[in-house]
Amino acid sequence: EAGVAQSPRYKIIEKRQSVAFWCNPISGHATLYWYQQILGQGPKLLIQFQNNGVVDDSQLPKDRFSAERLKGVDSTLKIQPAKLEDSAVYLCASSLSGSSSQYFGAGTRLSVL
Amino acid sequence: DQQVKQNSPSLSVQEGRISILNCDYTNSMFDYFLWYKKYPAEGPTFLISISSIKDKNEDGRFTVFLNKSAKHLSLHIVPSQPGDSAVYFCAASAGSGNTPLVFGKGTRLSVIA
């Protein structure tokens, strides 16, 4: 069974530029999560989707971050414009409906210079 | 305000001995707890979980203990192996369904041969 796929693995941009990350969850997983992990911290939830609907985006900085999951499968997370403090690993996870077992992708490491 | 705390950033243990990783939480609504293991450049991998209706859950070399009155849980690894060297994250949720996970900062375990 293929795992959660994320791309790119690494991205370096300058502040005020835009960046987008892509995630393809495990087939059949209705729930998709985006987490931000700053160095030395645990992952922090940004947004949770159930199929193509948003369940929780209370911790998403909506002035600069946006995410979509239009067809209820893969998802994109965008930052526009990026700030220095956005430097982090962005992790995508998925789970079956009703399950707490989340499966994580390898993440995208973002460096904002 | 950190709701899930892992107060030991690192731990070194000799191969064959027991590793004990600790986690404290403050939110009384948390009733489902998970441990994840993370190797460098990979996403977190689910290890073991426990519901608040139990005080112990065992899976091979891994045992998680939950003390609800103290809001404390611990992960025991016996015997420890060099391949167990990784960062271990404690996570908690209010409910065992698709509820968001709140992570601690992690503890880096080094198992010395």
Side-chain angles (χ1 to χ4, degrees):
Chain A
E1 178 185 79
V4 176
Q6 289 189 247
S7 67
R9 289 297 310 275
Y10 305 92
K11 189 74 177 178
I12 301 173
I13 61 172
E14 295 188 348
K15 61 183 179 183
R16 292 188 289 272
Q17 285 188 318
S18 302
V19 65
F21 313 126
W22 175 83
C23 172
N24 191 14
I26 293 173
S27 178
H29 282 196
T31 311
L32 185 147
Y33 311 80
W34 283 102
Y35 288 87
Q36 179 193 58
Q37 185 178 12
I38 292 171
L39 187 65
Q41 306 286 320
K44 184 187 87 170
L45 180 73
L46 291 175
I47 188 167
Q48 176 183 346
F49 291 95
Q50 181 71 17
N51 296 308
N52 61 349
V54 174
V55 174
D56 184 349
D57 64 356
S58 57
Q59 298 189 84
L60 187 74
K62 298 182 188 63
D63 57 334
R64 299 184 299 106
F65 286 65
S66 64
E68 59 184 17
R69 194 185 184 198
L70 293 175
K71 296 183 180 178
V73 180
D74 55 353
S75 175
T76 54
L77 176 70
K78 296 179 183 176
I79 308 175
Q80 179 180 7
K83 292 186 174 181
L84 296 176
E85 58 261 35
D86 298 332
S87 295
V89 175
Y90 290 84
L91 293 162
C92 179
S94 69
S95 66
L96 289 167
S97 216
S99 170
S100 290
S101 296
Q102 297 183 21
Y103 296 82
F104 284 81
T108 297
R109 181 176 296 277
L110 174 67
S111 297
V112 182
L113 306 178
Chain B
D1 177 35
Q2 245 193 311
Q3 299 184 70
V4 177
K5 298 176 186 178
Q6 293 178 257
N7 292 320
S8 298
S10 62
L11 175 67
S12 286
V13 171
Q14 277 202 311
E15 181 179 7
R17 297 289 189 98
I18 184 171
S19 295
I20 301 176
L21 295 95
N22 294 303
C23 177
D24 297 292
Y25 61 97
T26 58
N27 190 336
S28 300
M29 298 299 293
F30 289 150
D31 59 1
Y32 195 72
F33 305 89
L34 307 90
W35 285 93
Y36 279 81
K37 175 179 178 179
K38 186 181 184 304
Y39 292 119
E42 294 183 13
T45 303
F46 170 75
L47 195 56
I48 192 169
S49 64
I50 188 167
S51 163
S52 61
I53 61 173
K54 292 185 172 183
D55 54 19
K56 177 183 174 182
N57 189 25
E58 200 170 345
D59 184 2
R61 295 185 299 113
F62 303 90
T63 303
V64 56
F65 296 91
L66 175 63
N67 182 335
K68 289 186 289 294
S69 60
K71 294 191 177 69
H72 176 83
L73 63 154
S74 59
L75 175 68
H76 292 212
I77 306 173
V78 182
S80 300
Q81 300 173 354
D84 297 329
S85 297
V87 176
Y88 289 78
F89 290 99
C90 173
S93 70
S96 57
N98 294 125
T99 49
L101 296 178
V102 179
F103 284 84
K105 290 186 177 183
T107 296
R108 181 177 299 278
L109 174 66
S110 300
V111 180
I112 304 158

